[in-house]
Amino acid sequence: MYKIAIIGGGPAGYSAAFEAVRYGFSVLLFEMDELGGTCLNRGCVPTKYLSHVAELYSNINESKRYGIGVEPTGLDYEKTVAESENIVSKLREDLTNNLLQSEITIVKGKAKLLDETHISCNGEVFEAEHIIIATGSKNTDKPFADCINTDELLSLKHLPDKLIILGGGVSAVEFADIFSRLGVRIDIYIRGKRILRKWSKEIATSISSVLKKNGVKIYTEADFADIDKSSATVLSVLGRKPNLEGIDEGLVGIADNGGIVVDEYYRTKTKNIFAVGDVTENSAQLAHVAMEEAKQVVRLIAGETTKKSAVVQCIYTMPEVAVVGLSESEAKEAGIDYISAKQTMYFNARTVIGSTDRGFIKIIADKNTEKILGAEFMCERASDMVGELALAINNGITVSELEGSTRAHPTFYEAVTEALAKLIRN
C-alpha cells in the first residue's frame, strides 16, 4: 500500500508528489495525458512564451524611438510555434526526470477512483492510505461548432488575419494583447458591461485603454448569435470547468458549479480523500494556488498545522497586472476602516526609459493598525514585484515597517516606497 496516491500530474499533482517525498512517504502518481497538466502543455508556459515573443516584436517595432535603425522583417510564426513546443517538451522532460529520480511511481493511463483506498488504471488495482484528486479543469463547451478553443489556438501554425474572441476574462485579455501586438486584428465580444468583471474597475478600465490603443475593438453586452464570423477565426474563451473523469461523485460530493466540495483542509466527504486545484468548488483556477493547496494537504497528512496565504493574481499583458489581498471595494464591503494610496508610474525613471506605457501601484492598509491589506500593480514587472506585498499581508507587516525597507534607484520597484510614503502622510 502506498502512503499517498495522486490522480493528476499537473502543478497540483506533481507539487503534492514532491512534497510527499520530502516527508519520506511512498507516492503513486497517475496521469492520463502529459505530465505538467494544462499549465505546462497548453496554458501558462506556451502562452507566456507567446507573450515574450509579442514583447520582442513590439520592441523591434518601437526601436526607432531609441535611435535604433532596425526594421521588422516579418514573423515566421511556424518557427515561433516550433520553439514553443521545444520549450514545453524540454520542461516536461525535466519534470519527468525529477519525479523519477525522487522515486515517485508514475502510472500513465486513465485512473478511476473505486473507493476510499483503491484506484484502478490499465486493468490493475492500486491501494493507498490517502488519495489526492488533482485532475484540474478543461475548456467549457464551444458556443459554435465553427470556433476554436485555447488548446486549438496554441496549435495553429499560422497567424489568423482576424481573431474574434468570445469572453472578457484574464485569458481572453491576454490572448487579445498577444495577438494584437503580433499584427492580428482583434475583436472582443462580451455579454457583460466590461472586461475583467471580477477585477477592480480601475484595472479593467486601464487594460481596456491599453487594448484599444493597440487596435483591439471591444463590444459589450453582445449577443453572440449576431456576430459575423465569416471573415475571422473565432476563439471561445468562456471559462473552464472541473475535470471529473474517473472520479466517483458519490465518494466526494459535487457542488452546483460542478466542482468537488472540500472543507478548509481540502478534505472531501470521504475522510482520507482530498481534492485540490481547479477540480474543486470555487477554485481560483491558478496554478500557483493549486500547488500550494497540494503541499498543504501533504503537510496535513504529515501531522503539521497549515496556514492559508494571500492569493496573488496576475494578468500577463503589457504592462502586467498583479493584485494581492483586498481591493478597496472589498475592504469597504467588509466594513474595514481603510486608507489607500496610489503612485502613478508617469514619473518613474525606469518606466519612462523602457516603455511608452504607464501604470500605477496602489496599496490598501488598515487605518487603525497600519497593517497592509492589499495591493494592485499595473506596470512592468508587476508579477515579480507583488511578492513583497503578499509577504507583508501574510505576516501582518505595517505600512511604516515596509516603508523603512530601502529599494534601489532607478527601479520600477521604488514606486512601492513612494506609495507607502503617501499612506504614511494620510
Side-chain angles (χ1 to χ4, degrees):
M1 176 186 285
Y2 289 87
K3 181 70 173 182
I4 297 177
I6 304 160
I7 304 177
Y14 66 69
S15 294
F18 285 128
E19 188 74 359
V21 167
R22 194 168 71 85
Y23 285 97
F25 296 153
S26 55
V27 184
L28 179 62
L29 178 65
F30 296 94
E31 175 53 54
M32 68 176 184
D33 190 10
E34 297 282 6
L35 288 169
T38 297
C39 180
L40 173 56
N41 296 288
R42 300 174 299 279
C44 314
V45 173
T47 55
K48 300 315 167 282
Y49 165 76
L50 284 180
S51 180
H52 175 66
V53 172
E55 182 177 5
L56 290 175
Y57 196 68
S58 293
N59 288 341
I60 292 172
N61 287 328
E62 296 172 5
S63 62
K64 287 184 179 179
R65 176 188 173 214
Y66 304 100
I68 302 172
V70 176
E71 295 292 338
T73 57
L75 177 66
D76 184 346
Y77 191 67
E78 188 172 349
K79 186 173 181 180
T80 298
V81 173
E83 178 61 18
S84 175
E85 292 171 349
N86 288 337
I87 291 170
V88 168
S89 178
K90 172 65 166 57
L91 290 172
R92 188 170 57 235
E93 181 182 348
D94 289 344
L95 171 63
T96 302
N97 290 336
N98 285 337
L99 288 166
L100 293 174
Q101 289 170 9
S102 298
E103 298 184 354
I104 294 165
T105 302
I106 301 171
V107 178
K108 194 74 178 292
K110 186 175 180 179
K112 183 178 180 181
L113 185 62
L114 299 177
D115 57 35
E116 60 185 15
T117 57
H118 293 89
I119 298 169
S120 68
C121 187
N122 302 330
E124 186 177 354
V125 176
F126 302 85
E127 186 176 10
E129 186 178 342
H130 302 278
I131 296 172
I132 301 175
I133 300 170
T135 47
S137 61
K138 55 187 177 181
N139 284 308
T140 54
D141 297 334
K142 301 174 186 178
F144 309 115
D146 55 347
C147 66
I148 62 173
N149 59 31
T150 57
D151 294 352
E152 293 162 331
L153 175 69
L154 293 171
S155 298
L156 292 179
K157 303 300 182 183
H158 64 278
L159 285 174
D161 293 327
K162 182 178 179 180
L163 188 64
I164 291 175
I165 298 177
L166 308 180
V170 171
S171 294
V173 165
E174 289 182 350
F175 281 123
D177 184 72
I178 289 168
F179 286 95
S180 65
R181 292 180 186 275
L182 294 178
V184 178
R185 290 177 294 139
I186 305 290
D187 288 353
I188 294 178
Y189 287 85
I190 57 175
R191 295 190 178 107
K193 294 182 178 180
R194 66 174 174 92
I195 61 171
L196 301 173
R197 62 182 178 84
K198 294 183 179 180
W199 295 65
S200 75
K201 189 174 182 179
E202 184 171 19
I203 285 175
T205 301
S206 298
I207 291 294
S208 291
S209 297
V210 171
L211 292 175
K212 289 174 182 177
K213 177 184 173 183
N214 293 333
V216 176
K217 296 178 181 179
I218 301 174
Y219 298 91
T220 60
E221 298 181 280
D223 185 343
F224 291 172
D226 295 335
I227 298 173
D228 179 8
K229 308 185 292 292
S230 59
S231 59
T233 299
V234 182
L235 171 67
S236 175
V237 196
L238 297 174
R240 299 179 67 82
K241 59 184 179 181
N243 179 16
L244 297 175
E245 289 187 65
I247 305 303
D248 185 331
E249 297 181 14
L251 286 170
V252 296
I254 305 299
D256 292 339
N257 72 344
I260 296 175
V261 178
V262 293
D263 64 15
E264 61 181 317
Y265 301 108
Y266 312 105
R267 186 183 285 115
T268 69
K269 70 178 186 179
T270 302
K271 185 177 180 181
N272 64 307
I273 299 178
F274 301 83
V276 293
D278 289 11
V279 75
T280 62
E281 177 187 17
N282 299 324
S283 166
Q285 294 193 346
L286 296 169
H288 52 278
V289 173
M291 295 165 81
E292 181 58 28
E293 290 174 355
K295 288 187 282 189
Q296 286 193 28
V297 167
V298 175
R299 292 166 192 157
L300 183 70
I301 292 171
E304 293 189 4
T305 56
T306 61
K307 177 185 176 183
K308 291 189 177 182
S309 58
V311 175
V312 172
Q313 300 182 72
C314 302
I315 306 175
Y316 293 91
T317 48
M318 295 169 56
E320 291 182 345
V321 173
V323 303
V324 64
L326 299 179
S327 65
E328 286 189 90
S329 60
E330 288 170 337
K332 186 176 182 179
E333 289 172 9
I336 299 173
D337 189 10
Y338 72 91
I339 53 176
S340 68
K342 181 173 74 173
Q343 177 62 33
T344 64
M345 305 301 283
Y346 290 106
F347 305 107
N348 177 267
R350 281 297 302 278
T351 300
V352 175
I353 290 168
S355 173
T356 57
D357 293 319
R358 298 294 181 262
F360 63 88
I361 292 175
K362 179 187 287 186
I363 300 175
I364 300 102
D366 188 300
K367 186 174 183 178
N368 299 312
T369 66
E370 272 202 356
K371 290 183 178 180
I372 305 294
L373 298 174
E376 296 179 354
F377 290 70
M378 183 176 172
C379 56
E380 291 192 58
R381 311 288 173 82
S383 62
D384 296 318
M385 296 192 291
V386 71
E388 182 187 27
L389 276 298
L391 183 67
I393 294 169
N394 292 335
N395 291 278
I397 294 174
T398 67
V399 173
S400 299
E401 290 169 337
L402 198 60
E403 196 269 342
S405 178
T406 302
R407 295 168 186 86
H409 172 80
T411 60
F412 302 111
Y413 205 25
E414 63 186 313
V416 170
T417 301
E418 292 160 351
L420 291 166
K422 286 184 177 181
L423 276 177
I424 292 173
R425 289 197 295 271
N426 283 346

